[in-house]
Amino acid sequence: MSVDFLRLIDRWFINSGLPVTSLFKTGSSFRRRTQTAGETMRCILQIILWLALLLPTQQLLGAEQAGPPTVVVLPLEVSNEGTYAYLNQAINQMLLTRLSGAGGLKVLGSDLKPEQWRQIRSRLQAGEMQEAIAVVAADWFLDGSMYSLKDGLQINVSLYPTAEGTPLTLTVKADDQDGVIRAVSGLSKDIEDAIVLEKKTEEDLSEETDTGSGLSGFETPHPERDYRKGLYSGAALIAGGDGDLGFTSRGIRKSDPIPLDIVSLASGDLNGDGVNEVIIASRSKIMVLSFSDLKFQKVAEYDFSARMKIHVINIGDHDGSGRMKLYVSGNDGRYASSAIFGWDGSPSLQPIKKSIPWYLRPLQTTDGKTMLIGQQANDRQHENFLQPGVFELTIDPQDSKIVKGNRLLLPEGTNLFDFIQADLDGDKLNETVLIDKKQKLLVYDSASNLIWVSSANYGGSRTFFGPSRELTNQLDSSQLTEAQQDNRQLVWIPGRLDVKDLTGDGLPEIVVVTNDIGIDKYLENSRFYKGGSVACLSWSGYGLAEIWQTSHIDGYVADYFFDEGDTPENNGSDTVLSRLYVAQIPVVSFVKQLLPTSRESRVLAYEMMVKKSSTPAPKP
């Protein structure tokens, strides 16, 4: 008999009032507590009856005791210092206490040392699940982070099953210190429910879908999607809400397969003919496409050397010349090597300036102007070959040299392509929207206070600063050595963040990629995605909320560009034809991915008629 089983019998006798509270401890104890043969016989009969009644129950209890899921709760990471950062340790302990008291869970790892916690986290980040389990075996790992907001705090936790399964994300907010206890209590209950309760089947979920609204194809797993103010008809784009902003889908156009991996995409009128071109870039090639008669056609291209690795292209006019230019940011081996191009309509782009030792980006300011900004690379491995700080740049008209200007005031750790700036709420002060390393959208006010964090993931990308991870000739000084490659931690470039007033109400919307995160949560140096979409968000007064998203796009969404278009002559001055261009790398088998000749992409064109609002949004 097990000790737990004997304790159950002991507890029963205590409750029954019989004088055998320690029946199975020692023979002497038994003799002391049973003074007469009658009492002894009565106790024996009681025990036999108890065993007969208890054995089936005990089997169930044993199954339950073997079944409660075990969870390891890693210490919360403080992602942003702020007013409530001092509560980190207290919240950690509070969460552990409540989870430990949950009847359906068993929390492990209370005796682990700080270096063991760090080891578990590093194992998870390296994708070494079995090694993490070797430190402490469990059914689930809980990894969380705390964001100290201007008004309150937010806790995001991710639950990762050690067996096969889909990671779960939970978020809780507290408006002030007094609300922390309620928030953590609610979070612990949600965690217990998520782990212990049996998941609903897809059929159960489909039965709960609201088909009365005509939006049964719309799925909204993220709180950001609870607030929606627009409606696209048709299957190409999905959304929900009032339907009073005049969005009308006209379907999707697809290019023929393009025999390269697209890494970036942009759209604009490069040759000044009044028609926007679509420009795509692979690792070392740029291609200009026209979109006419509902078809894509190549009209120009430019090839770099094989050492070039392009990561982002943009279109802008930093010098106010009136002619749009193409900005290419990339690496030539280990060195930053960017370029600026013009185009006159001929079969090749014309270089304006090449081999620029900066990563470049044109940034549109809220007054409609464009400034050139950049970030530098370095040779220090401990800084991941990227110098901190984003700077305003100018080009000296005398010798065409890049002149470094003022450093932009951005949240610490912000890199060149992480952010956009816009007046989201109409108070004439700019907010900064950025994507952090955890693929969360963050909004800072004009005083650099963090005011909102998304619970959903955004901006997933496979693009990174620096040279390719392929090992090359170590005698080539432009490449990394094998040791540097092995010890390198990649600095990822998030998917494009764009800002435009799509609705015409005077307030901007944010457009962003939403590639579905795969197992790369565990992998610092790898990114795998199983599909994605493009989403549009607007400021709802309390945070960013999705107003529409494209339907699911299989494979990987490499980039997109939203082209607002012009006013059609026969549709009135308040209606425009807009296009959302999306660069898609379709799903292929693992074997096919290994074949260099199998690389191909497509460009999708989502067409829509947008009736601009005639009434400005109310100002705060």
Side-chain angles (χ1 to χ4, degrees):
M1 293 185 183
S2 69
V3 174
D4 290 338
F5 176 66
L6 297 180
R7 288 174 178 169
L8 285 172
I9 296 177
D10 197 51
R11 189 179 301 113
W12 183 85
F13 276 110
I14 291 174
N15 295 331
S16 68
L18 293 176
V20 284
T21 55
S22 298
L23 182 64
F24 294 94
K25 290 182 180 179
T26 63
S28 59
S29 175
F30 178 81
R31 287 190 296 271
R32 284 196 305 269
R33 296 181 185 273
T34 54
Q35 302 297 324
T36 66
E39 288 180 343
T40 302
M41 181 58 66
R42 186 180 64 178
C43 290
I44 292 174
L45 291 175
Q46 292 264 13
I47 293 171
I48 293 173
L49 179 61
W50 170 254
L51 290 175
L53 294 173
L54 183 64
L55 280 176
T57 306
Q58 171 61 19
Q59 292 175 0
L60 294 176
L61 290 173
E64 290 179 359
Q65 289 172 356
T70 54
V71 57
V72 174
V73 182
L74 278 69
L76 290 176
E77 290 185 311
V78 182
S79 298
N80 287 276
E81 296 293 338
T83 306
Y84 297 96
Y86 71 94
L87 291 174
N88 182 42
Q89 294 299 326
I91 292 175
N92 264 318
Q93 189 59 44
M94 200 182 305
L95 184 61
L96 278 172
T97 300
R98 279 156 176 74
L99 289 177
S100 299
L105 295 181
K106 185 176 182 180
V107 178
L108 304 178
S110 59
D111 57 344
L112 293 180
K113 298 178 180 179
E115 57 267 22
Q116 290 175 303
W117 290 121
R118 289 191 291 270
Q119 184 181 8
I120 292 174
R121 180 167 277 125
S122 65
R123 294 302 190 190
L124 292 177
Q125 291 173 345
E128 300 169 347
M129 179 62 74
Q130 294 305 315
E131 287 77 359
I133 297 174
V135 179
V136 52
D139 299 317
W140 295 79
F141 284 99
L142 187 153
D143 192 10
S145 58
M146 187 181 82
Y147 294 84
S148 181
L149 307 177
K150 178 183 178 181
D151 299 313
L153 59 86
Q154 178 171 322
I155 305 171
N156 292 347
V157 298
S158 296
L159 287 164
Y160 300 98
T162 56
E164 291 186 4
T166 303
L168 306 174
T169 300
L170 300 171
T171 298
V172 67
K173 293 181 180 179
D175 294 332
D176 50 38
Q177 183 174 337
D178 295 336
V180 170
I181 295 178
R182 293 191 304 272
V184 175
S185 297
L187 177 62
S188 62
K189 183 63 168 63
D190 290 342
I191 292 171
E192 182 184 4
D193 290 346
I195 294 178
V196 176
L197 295 181
E198 183 178 356
K199 295 181 180 179
K200 293 183 179 181
T201 63
E202 292 184 3
E203 293 181 356
D204 293 334
L205 292 176
S206 65
E207 290 176 359
E208 297 177 2
T209 303
D210 180 12
T211 57
S213 64
L215 296 169
S216 58
F218 179 70
E219 298 177 358
T220 172
H222 304 310
E224 285 77 7
R225 298 175 188 170
D226 290 342
Y227 170 86
R228 315 171 199 109
K229 65 178 183 180
L231 172 65
Y232 283 115
S233 61
L237 294 150
I238 52 179
D242 301 332
D244 59 353
L245 295 180
F247 288 89
T248 306
S249 173
R250 297 207 331 186
I252 307 175
R253 311 297 176 184
K254 298 182 180 181
S255 72
D256 292 331
I258 302 171
L260 49 80
D261 269 353
I262 298 177
V263 298
S264 190
L265 175 150
S267 178
D269 181 12
L270 284 179
N271 62 349
D273 65 352
V275 178
N276 288 350
E277 290 78 35
V278 177
I279 300 90
I280 58 176
S282 65
R283 172 175 167 173
S284 58
K285 185 183 187 70
I286 296 175
M287 190 178 296
V288 181
L289 306 176
S290 67
F291 183 72
S292 59
D293 297 327
L294 305 181
K295 295 181 180 180
F296 292 94
Q297 182 178 359
K298 184 177 72 173
V299 294
E301 60 185 355
Y302 187 91
D303 291 323
F304 288 92
S305 70
R307 294 195 316 186
M308 183 70 172
K309 184 176 82 70
I310 300 171
H311 41 66
V312 179
I313 61 173
N314 283 288
I315 292 178
D317 179 24
H318 75 279
D319 57 6
S321 66
R323 292 296 297 269
M324 303 300 286
K325 291 166 275 291
L326 178 68
Y327 302 82
V328 180
S329 184
N331 285 90
D332 187 344
R334 69 189 300 169
Y335 305 117
S337 182
S338 299
I340 304 174
F341 290 88
W343 186 52
D344 59 7
S346 63
S348 179
L349 293 168
Q350 293 79 50
I352 296 174
K353 187 170 180 59
K354 294 177 60 179
S355 302
I356 302 172
W358 288 77
Y359 300 118
L360 291 184
R361 173 190 169 192
L363 177 68
Q364 186 171 5
T365 59
T366 53
D367 59 3
K369 298 180 180 179
T370 301
M371 71 166 65
L372 185 63
I373 60 175
Q375 188 170 1
Q376 286 184 300
N378 65 29
D379 292 329
R380 292 186 288 274
Q381 182 171 318
H382 69 279
E383 292 186 353
N384 301 316
F385 306 101
L386 184 67
Q387 289 192 22
V390 179
F391 295 86
E392 185 174 357
L393 303 177
T394 56
I395 300 179
D396 192 324
Q398 301 298 324
D399 55 13
S400 295
K401 288 185 178 180
I402 296 290
V403 179
K404 179 179 177 180
N406 295 325
R407 180 171 178 169
L408 274 63
L409 297 177
L410 297 168
E412 184 178 356
T414 302
N415 292 323
L416 180 62
F417 300 102
D418 294 352
F419 72 98
I420 55 94
Q421 292 180 321
D423 180 8
L424 297 178
D425 53 10
D427 64 354
K428 301 187 183 304
L429 297 174
N430 278 349
E431 284 76 36
T432 298
V433 183
L434 63 84
I435 300 173
D436 71 359
K437 295 179 178 61
K438 296 180 180 294
Q439 301 182 43
K440 302 297 183 184
L441 267 179
L442 278 61
V443 178
Y444 291 82
D445 64 15
S446 58
S448 297
N449 297 305
L450 181 62
I451 58 176
W452 183 82
V453 180
S454 72
S455 59
N457 291 326
Y458 292 95
S461 167
R462 300 193 311 214
T463 306
F464 54 89
F465 286 104
S468 169
R469 287 179 289 179
E470 300 170 1
L471 297 179
T472 58
N473 188 346
Q474 295 188 19
L475 297 178
D476 185 348
S477 62
S478 70
Q479 303 297 329
L480 302 182
T481 66
E482 185 173 354
Q484 287 173 326
Q485 289 281 19
D486 291 341
N487 296 318
R488 178 183 180 189
Q489 182 175 341
L490 298 182
V491 180
W492 297 99
I493 298 172
R496 186 181 299 275
L497 268 174
D498 197 8
V499 54
K500 286 183 171 68
D501 180 11
L502 304 181
T503 61
D505 61 358
L507 297 179
E509 280 75 41
I510 305 298
V511 188
V512 64
V513 168
T514 66
N515 275 309
D516 299 335
I517 192 168
I519 65 171
D520 56 285
K521 170 67 182 181
Y522 299 133
L523 308 177
E524 283 193 332
N525 282 347
S526 295
R527 290 282 176 92
F528 302 96
Y529 297 104
K530 54 187 178 182
S533 61
V534 177
C536 179
L537 303 92
S538 69
W539 188 257
S540 64
Y542 303 97
L544 289 172
E546 287 188 13
I547 59 175
W548 58 258
Q549 62 165 322
T550 66
S551 52
H552 181 83
I553 301 171
D554 291 333
Y556 168 61
V557 179
D559 203 356
Y560 76 90
F561 196 89
F562 196 97
D563 182 2
E564 292 186 85
D566 297 319
T567 303
E569 294 180 358
N570 60 346
N571 282 283
S573 60
D574 59 348
T575 302
V576 299
L577 172 64
S578 299
R579 294 188 180 96
L580 173 68
Y581 296 106
V582 177
Q584 175 203 23
I585 299 179
V587 177
V588 296
S589 66
F590 176 75
V591 174
K592 194 173 182 180
Q593 291 182 41
L594 300 178
L595 302 176
T597 57
S598 67
R599 303 293 187 187
E600 67 177 36
S601 307
R602 288 183 182 271
V603 176
L604 314 178
Y606 293 78
E607 291 193 333
M608 66 201 77
M609 302 301 297
V610 183
K611 184 176 181 179
K612 296 286 186 174
S613 173
S614 59
T615 305
K619 300 297 187 292

